[in-house]
Amino acid sequence: MSSLILGKLDPAAARRETLALRDRVLGAPPQDPVRSAYPVGAVGEGDGRRVLVLGATGYIGQAVVRELAGRGFAPVALTREGRPVPGCDDLDVTVVAGAATDARDVERAFDSHPVDAVICLLASRRPNDEAECLAVDYEAPHLAADLAAKAGVRRFVHVSDYGVYRPELQTQVHKLRVEGELVGGHFGGLPYTIVRPTAYYPYLAINFGDVKNGAPYRIFDHGEWNLVNPIAREDLAEFLVNALASEDAVGRILPVGGPWTADNVVTLRSAGEMMFDVLGREPVWEQETIAGWDKKTARLRRAGALYPKLRSVVYYLDAAKYWTVVTHVAPPYGTRTFRQYLERLKDREFAAGSFRDRMRSGTSLVPTDV
Ligand SMILES: NC(=O)c1ccc[n+]([C@@H]2O[C@H](COP(=O)([O-])OP(=O)(O)OC[C@H]3O[C@@H](n4cnc5c(N)ncnc54)[C@H](OP(=O)(O)O)[C@@H]3O)[C@@H](O)[C@H]2O)c1
């Protein structure tokens, strides 16, 4: 992680900036050019065109497969061991067994079912594993774009990350590299669209399990270092399929987040307040300071030189800081809000879902069917 994140930050100045931005975003009139960048609603039908989805079994992938099928496209999902796409049993989905990281499997997916377009939604399951990140976040999308160009597909949609505007984490660097190759014409003029979404609800709700179980919600300093407008997966799926169906989206980089409304534009503190409010409890905070976090991270980083296993823990400390201090506010799309998501999640039983669990399990424990 670079010195930008590790450098000294001023908590009071950051808070002032965050709150001023929140006022600007929430106060922007409907005709504001950023607020009105993307008209909401499904536009474009598939007429049976086949679309290869990579990452179809993931959180967003499942919604994209559903959206494609509902809009008249024919989704083809390349999944490990031919696993069906969760929640899509009722749909006509062609499943090809194979790994997106294996060139023969991806070639087979292109050869056996000639496709018109590709949507790439791959993400390493263990973002703290360097080799896995390289394979899943860079090499696999690169391979897919290369084969897509050879197969003459008419569109390649690369789902990147809004955070690449300030790339600090290894996954973001890989995503940015794929973006650069697409923009730079490395795949022989493959028509592409790059979409950079902000955060997704389960990741922002990562502490909800703990809060439900009576634990406090952790904030850094005042908890208002950054601002986020997360996007619902159904809204993002609609946005992605709109982009796929629109010629205007060729060769463009589209940053996107959820609605600019008070129940969707949050600081980490206000996200916590929303969780307590939805659960009908008084907020209880566990406060850390970023300065203390930096010291803890520096100590572990030094120890990591002797004990390499610690490096994966350092990754999560860096990532926690990144998501705490870096603002992710993008032009809005959709109608669903973070608060509505929490309302749906509150009656579900699930193990926990804290940052610590995320570190241990390598994936979020927040249910992904909500
Ligand atoms: N999380 C966020 O807040 C966020 C924000 C902005 C952008 N994004 C990007 O949005 C996209 C969708 O994210 P998501 O949250 O839906 O991801 P996700 O739920 O973690 O799903 C990841 C997908 O990649 C597949 N995959 C992972 N490792 C693989 C491997 N070694 N070989 C083959 N396939 C592999 C998974 O297959 P299995 O089911 O078989 O593991 C799954 O289909 C990703 O490109 C992500 O980087 C995420």
Side-chain angles (χ1 to χ4, degrees):
M1 188 176 271
S2 86
S3 56
L4 262 183
I5 290 296
L6 295 174
K8 276 212 162 65
L9 298 164
D10 175 354
R15 183 164 193 261
R16 276 196 303 277
E17 274 177 34
T18 300
L19 298 183
L21 177 62
R22 187 175 64 184
D23 287 349
R24 281 213 307 280
V25 164
L26 295 181
Q31 69 277 18
D32 176 274
V34 182
R35 173 163 236 163
S36 59
Y38 306 126
V40 178
V43 179
E45 291 289 320
D47 303 323
R49 276 177 284 162
R50 263 202 289 257
V51 180
L52 175 62
V53 184
L54 302 173
T57 50
Y59 180 68
I60 302 297
Q62 298 167 25
V64 166
V65 166
R66 179 158 287 281
E67 181 73 20
L68 284 168
R71 303 259 297 263
F73 290 87
V76 178
L78 176 68
T79 70
R80 295 198 258 193
E81 287 132 32
R83 263 177 54 211
V85 180
C88 293
D89 301 343
D90 56 325
L91 305 173
D92 192 7
V93 182
T94 304
V95 173
V96 178
T101 48
D102 184 323
R104 282 163 309 180
D105 288 350
V106 186
E107 265 168 29
R108 206 159 33 78
F110 276 105
D111 291 347
S112 57
H113 297 87
V115 294
D116 190 71
V118 177
I119 301 185
C120 184
L121 294 145
L122 295 165
S124 43
R125 289 284 184 194
R126 284 187 298 259
N128 57 346
D129 182 317
E130 282 179 29
E132 187 174 321
C133 279
L134 179 67
V136 179
D137 297 316
Y138 172 67
E139 290 172 350
H142 172 95
L143 170 71
D146 195 34
L147 294 176
K150 287 179 181 143
V153 310
R154 297 200 306 163
R155 188 74 64 84
F156 186 89
V157 178
H158 170 55
V159 178
S160 180
D161 176 355
Y162 184 78
V164 301
Y165 87 96
R166 195 168 163 174
E168 300 277 350
L169 307 176
Q170 54 188 347
T171 54
Q172 295 165 340
V173 174
H174 295 320
K175 292 225 172 256
L176 206 47
R177 200 170 155 199
V178 177
E179 287 195 13
E181 291 177 348
L182 289 166
V183 174
H186 287 215
F187 307 106
L190 172 69
Y192 67 86
T193 301
I194 293 163
V195 177
R196 292 178 174 178
T198 58
Y200 306 149
Y201 294 155
Y203 303 93
L204 203 59
I206 200 154
N207 291 316
F208 194 58
D210 276 354
V211 171
K212 254 165 73 83
N213 293 337
Y217 179 94
R218 187 172 64 199
I219 50 172
F220 288 89
D221 303 290
H222 39 61
E224 308 207 284
W225 283 90
N226 72 348
L227 196 67
V228 186
N229 66 322
I231 183 162
R233 65 170 161 184
E234 297 86 350
D235 288 334
L236 179 57
E238 187 175 272
F239 182 88
L240 288 168
V241 177
N242 284 0
L244 183 71
S246 155
E247 283 306 310
D248 195 41
V250 174
R252 291 185 63 190
I253 299 180
L254 306 173
V256 66
W260 283 6
T261 55
D263 53 1
N264 196 63
V265 175
V266 291
T267 63
L268 293 190
R269 185 188 183 93
S270 70
E273 282 166 351
M274 218 180 263
M275 290 180 200
F276 286 108
D277 196 42
V278 161
L279 293 167
R281 287 180 46 208
E282 282 303 308
V284 188
W285 310 108
E286 177 190 322
Q287 252 169 325
E288 295 250 12
T289 64
I290 283 288
W293 196 256
D294 280 347
K295 281 192 192 133
K296 196 189 297 185
T297 311
R299 269 201 308 275
L300 274 170
R301 201 183 299 282
R302 279 196 300 275
L306 292 176
Y307 306 102
K309 274 194 175 164
L310 283 179
R311 285 189 211 144
S312 64
V313 179
V314 171
Y315 170 86
Y316 275 109
L317 300 193
D318 279 342
K321 179 172 177 187
Y322 181 89
W323 289 110
T324 298
V325 302
V326 178
T327 278
H328 286 69
V329 174
Y333 184 83
T335 54
R336 297 164 176 89
T337 68
F338 184 55
R339 189 178 175 105
Q340 290 167 351
Y341 170 79
L342 293 178
E343 295 280 3
R344 290 204 307 275
L345 197 57
K346 87 172 169 198
D347 296 322
R348 279 291 298 272
E349 287 305 320
F350 55 101
S354 69
F355 211 70
R356 220 161 271 136
D357 295 321
R358 172 85 173 89
M359 270 172 55
R360 287 202 193 103
S361 68
T363 192
S364 173
L365 296 181
V366 180
T368 52
D369 59 336
V370 175

